[in-house]
Amino acid sequence: MNIKVNDKLEMKKTHPCGSKRMIVLRAGADFKLKCEGCGHEFMTPRSKIEKFIKEIKT
């Protein structure tokens, strides 16, 4: 998948706040994502996130 910084991801699963949309802050072997609903920032491995992506909006 070709995911870049500032792309907006719509996920299959919801964040605990109820939002399904994330903003990419850092891309590489790991992603740093920010939830659009609550503003929580977290890092997670690329392999884990690629399974849960529903749509990529640039």
Side-chain angles (χ1 to χ4, degrees), residues 15-34:
H15 188 251
C17 72
S19 177
K20 287 188 172 187
R21 300 178 77 185
M22 305 286 170
I23 300 171
V24 179
L25 300 178
R26 179 182 178 275
D30 295 327
F31 283 123
K32 184 171 185 179
L33 302 175
K34 181 178 180 180

Side-chain angles (χ1 to χ4, degrees), residues 22-57:
M22 305 286 170
I23 300 171
V24 179
L25 300 178
R26 179 182 178 275
D30 295 327
F31 283 123
K32 184 171 185 179
L33 302 175
K34 181 178 180 180
C35 176
E36 282 193 347
C38 64
H40 180 76
E41 294 181 9
F42 57 97
M43 289 194 70
T44 186
R46 176 182 281 268
S47 59
K48 185 176 178 184
I49 284 298
E50 285 184 342
K51 296 177 198 174
F52 299 118
I53 295 174
K54 184 176 181 182
E55 185 179 357
I56 302 170
K57 298 177 183 176

